[in-house]
């Protein structure tokens, strides 16, 4: 009986892998034509900040340079439990600093919910709300692209999340490779298939009416995934704008990266418990592929956990008990198929870099250490499973300033 279950689990994991790889192929093609609209929508740009005095100045300057009518957007920085001079820097640039003090409800999700309640009570109302992080920079056409999608009927939009500092360390390079892969062979493929895209926590745009109808309600450690699932469950598929770039700063060290990813995985477990079965059942009843795909994505954290446990079991069985003592896919399937799957998986990351026009030799050289980054998700997810009830927000420290011209100069 145990052997049968182990075989079933291996085939299920393999099937999920084949499914995701097949979908990724649809991201190879990128449609060049893009509908342009005159500026019609007004935007409230919300910036979540906690003690971000080091980096907030660069973003405040960046937001002044957007090629969108200045009277059609305003910036509100949520100074959440700040103990530094973040608010003073924001006000010095002429933007609005909204100070919140609630040590019992810490974290980005709570801060956004508080800000939205205040926003709806203001005299001026906006057509849409944009959310970005304090350490980010955005391309000058960001609001123009959001306006294009809103005028075309989109209600929830995710911009292209790029990495601000991919050359800083092998960790930031690994983040860069991951994001280039996800943007091209994950997000764009779902755009081409007219399926739901996934929110990434920053560079997000929401129709104000939708936020007022649904409420925010996303206060888990991964508010982006939680709101994605809620949208899809309610028949609203987020869309992906390939041209609207947001540059996110990534942690420099493995320790800081592990702490950040642990928080993500803890939050993923919460969302999976709440939404997987209702959304999967809804997708079956409605025969809705977008809902099925989103439900499957919400379970990714369990897929990673089971893969880790199964792999560890096989290794221990082989090392200490002269295994394998149960059927494995390497024995059931032809060897060439198993080797081919590994080769194609590796090739997919290289393909994504080529398609995205990455030319830096340092990034391609970082592919040598990239498997270490990928495999490190296993123990992180394992630990997250036993600490998933943790609700404490872990703040990522930022130590230096990078401006948009620096990022664009390196890309060029």
């Amino acid at each position: 009986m145990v052997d049968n279950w182990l075989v079933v689990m291996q085939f299920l994991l393999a099937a999920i892998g084949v499914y995701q790889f097949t979908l990724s192929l649809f991201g190879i093609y990128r449609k060049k034509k893009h509908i342009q609209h005159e500026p019609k929508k007004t935007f409230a740009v919300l910036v979540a900040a906690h003690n971000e005095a080091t980096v907030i100045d660069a973003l405040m300057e960046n937001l002044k340079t957007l090629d969108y009518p200045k009277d059609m957007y305003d910036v509100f920085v949520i100074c959440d439990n700040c103990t530094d001079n973040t608010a003073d820097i924001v006000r010095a640039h002429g933007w609005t600093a909204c100070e919140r003090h609630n040590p019992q409800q810490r974290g980005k999700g709570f801060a956004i919910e508080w800000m939205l309640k205040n926003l709806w009570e203001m005299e001026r109302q906006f057509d849409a709300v944009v959310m970005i992080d304090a350490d980010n920079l955005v391309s000058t056409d960001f609001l123009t692209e959001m306006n294009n999608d809103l005028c075309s009927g989109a209600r929830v939009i995710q911009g292209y999340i790029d990495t601000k500092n991919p050359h800083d360390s092998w960790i930031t390079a690994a983040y860069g490779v991951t994001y280039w892969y996800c943007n091209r062979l994950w997000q764009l493929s779902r755009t081409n298939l007219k399926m739901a895209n996934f929110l990434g926590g920053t560079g997000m745009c929401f129709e104000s009416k939708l936020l007022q109808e649904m409420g925010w309600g996303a206060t888990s450690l991964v508010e982006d995934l939680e709101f994605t699932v809620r949208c899809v469950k309610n028949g609203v598929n987020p869309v992906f704008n390939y041209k609207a770039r947001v540059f996110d700063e990534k942690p420099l060290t493995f320790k800081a990266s592990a702490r950040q990813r642990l928080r993500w995985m803890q939050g993923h477990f919460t969302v999976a418990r709440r939404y997987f079965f209702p959304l999967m059942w809804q997708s079956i009843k409605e025969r809705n592929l977008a809902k099925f795909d989103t439900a499957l994505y919400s379970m990714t954290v369990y897929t990673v956990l089971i893969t880790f446990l199964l792999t560890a079991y096989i290794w221990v069985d082989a090392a200490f008990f002269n295994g394998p003592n149960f059927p494995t896919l390497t024995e059931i399937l032809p060897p060439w198929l198993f080797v081919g799957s590994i080769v194609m998986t590796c090739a997919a990351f290289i393909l994504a870099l080529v398609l995205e026009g990455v030319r830096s030799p340092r990034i391609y050289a970082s592919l040598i250490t990239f498997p270490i980054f990928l495999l490190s998700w296993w123990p992180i997810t394992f630990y997250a499973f036993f600490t998933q009830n943790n609700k404490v927000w872990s703040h990522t420290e930022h130590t230096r300033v990078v401006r948009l011209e620096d990022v664009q100069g390196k890309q060029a």
Side-chain angles (χ1 to χ4, degrees), residues 3 14 24-25 37 49 82 91-92 128 131 156 175 190 228 260 262 287 300 302 376-377 388 394 397 406 409:
D3 286 357
S24 72
L25 298 178
H37 293 272
C82 288
R91 294 187 180 108
M131 298 182 191
V156 180
Y175 273 107
R190 283 162 174 80
T228 298
Q260 182 186 66
L262 175 62
R287 298 179 182 178
T300 300
Y302 279 101
S376 68
W377 282 99
Q388 59 184 281
S394 175
E397 298 290 340
D406 299 326

Side-chain angles (χ1 to χ4, degrees), residues 8-21:
V8 169
M9 290 307 303
Q10 291 177 75
F11 272 105
L12 283 176
L13 292 173
I16 293 172
V18 171
Y19 169 80
Q20 298 293 5
F21 179 79

Side-chain angles (χ1 to χ4, degrees), residues 329-402:
L329 289 188
T330 55
E331 295 178 322
I332 299 172
L333 299 177
W336 64 266
L337 189 61
F338 183 73
V339 174
S341 65
I342 296 176
V343 172
M344 287 190 294
T345 300
C346 297
F349 286 99
I350 299 174
L351 175 63
L353 296 182
V354 173
L355 291 173
E356 292 305 272
V358 178
R359 299 178 181 178
S360 169
R362 290 178 61 185
I363 297 300
Y364 285 95
S366 73
L367 293 174
I368 298 173
T369 55
F370 186 60
I372 300 174
F373 179 80
L374 291 181
L375 290 175
S376 68
W377 282 99
W378 286 359
I380 290 172
T381 305
F382 181 74
Y383 184 67
F385 177 76
F386 294 99
T387 58
Q388 59 184 281
N389 291 324
N390 171 55
K391 305 299 180 185
V392 179
W393 181 269
S394 175
H395 179 243
T396 302
E397 298 290 340
H398 305 292
T399 58
R400 68 190 185 94
V401 179
V402 179

Side-chain angles (χ1 to χ4, degrees), residues 133-196:
D133 290 341
D135 62 299
N136 292 170
L137 298 168
V138 298
S139 57
T140 55
D141 62 350
F142 190 87
L143 291 185
T144 300
E145 290 300 325
M146 295 296 112
N147 176 76
N148 289 336
D149 281 346
L150 288 168
C151 290
S152 297
R155 306 189 73 187
V156 180
I157 309 157
Q158 174 60 58
Y160 185 115
I161 303 180
D162 210 334
T163 308
K164 191 164 71 171
N165 57 331
H167 298 94
D168 282 358
S169 69
W170 73 275
I171 285 291
T172 60
Y175 273 107
V177 172
T178 302
Y179 275 73
W180 285 314
Y181 170 84
C182 288
N183 282 303
R184 188 60 187 249
L185 300 182
W186 192 287
Q187 295 279 48
L188 189 59
S189 61
R190 283 162 174 80
T191 297
N192 290 337
L193 292 169
K194 301 188 184 305
M195 295 168 63

Side-chain angles (χ1 to χ4, degrees), residues 44 46 76 112-131 206-216:
L46 306 189
F76 303 88
I112 290 173
E113 190 161 51
W114 173 84
M115 185 65 230
L116 289 175
K117 289 178 181 178
N118 286 275
L119 192 66
W120 307 145
E121 295 173 358
M122 293 181 183
E123 182 177 354
R124 183 184 183 185
Q125 294 296 295
F126 299 87
D127 297 315
V129 175
V130 168
M131 298 182 191
F206 308 89
E207 181 191 63
S208 294
K209 184 179 179 182
L210 174 71
L211 284 175
Q212 291 170 332
E213 290 172 354
M214 287 182 55
W216 178 245

